[in-house]
């Protein structure tokens, strides 16, 4: 189940356009391999991942985006509650 959750999170980030590389799992060995790979990357691919990550943040994850999403969720819940009352 943890591997599925990790994969789901990765696909979510990838679908948002985040610069991300998949880890096999969250074990210390897998994280160490991922960090080793990252630090051994050539500058150009590493910079491309950084640009993608920043673009994802600016498009989807700023405090304003998060606030707007929370407001939308609460508005939806309030409407659903009103409809059922």
């Amino acid at each position: 189940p943890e591997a599925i959750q990790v994969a789901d999170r990765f696909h979510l980030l990838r679908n948002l356009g985040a610069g991300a590389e998949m880890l096999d799992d969250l074990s210390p060995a897998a994280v160490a391999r991922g960090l080793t790979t990252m630090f051994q990357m050539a500058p150009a691919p590493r910079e491309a991942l950084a640009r993608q990550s920043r673009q994802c943040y600016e498009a989807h994850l700023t405090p304003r985006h998060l606030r707007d999403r929370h407001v939308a969720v609460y508005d939806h819940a309030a409407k659903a509650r009103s409809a059922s009352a």
Side-chain angles (χ1 to χ4, degrees):
E2 183 178 332
I4 293 170
Q5 291 173 351
V6 170
D8 290 344
R9 284 186 225 130
F10 173 73
H11 293 301
L12 172 66
L13 290 172
R14 186 184 62 195
N15 291 342
L16 288 175
E21 292 292 329
M22 183 65 174
L23 294 177
D24 295 330
D25 56 57
L26 296 179
S27 69
V31 173
R33 282 191 305 276
L35 288 171
T36 299
T37 299
M38 181 184 68
F39 285 113
Q40 291 176 346
M41 288 178 88
R46 188 175 58 245
E47 290 166 3
L49 287 174
R51 278 192 306 277
Q52 289 175 305
S53 183
R54 184 64 188 181
Q55 289 170 349
C56 176
Y57 172 80
E58 290 173 352
H60 304 287
L61 302 171
T62 64
R64 181 176 182 165
H65 288 103
L66 297 174
R67 178 192 52 110
D68 290 350
R69 183 66 186 130
H70 279 94
V71 168
V73 167
Y74 286 119
D75 286 348
H76 178 76
K79 286 178 187 174
R81 185 176 178 134
S82 294
S84 68

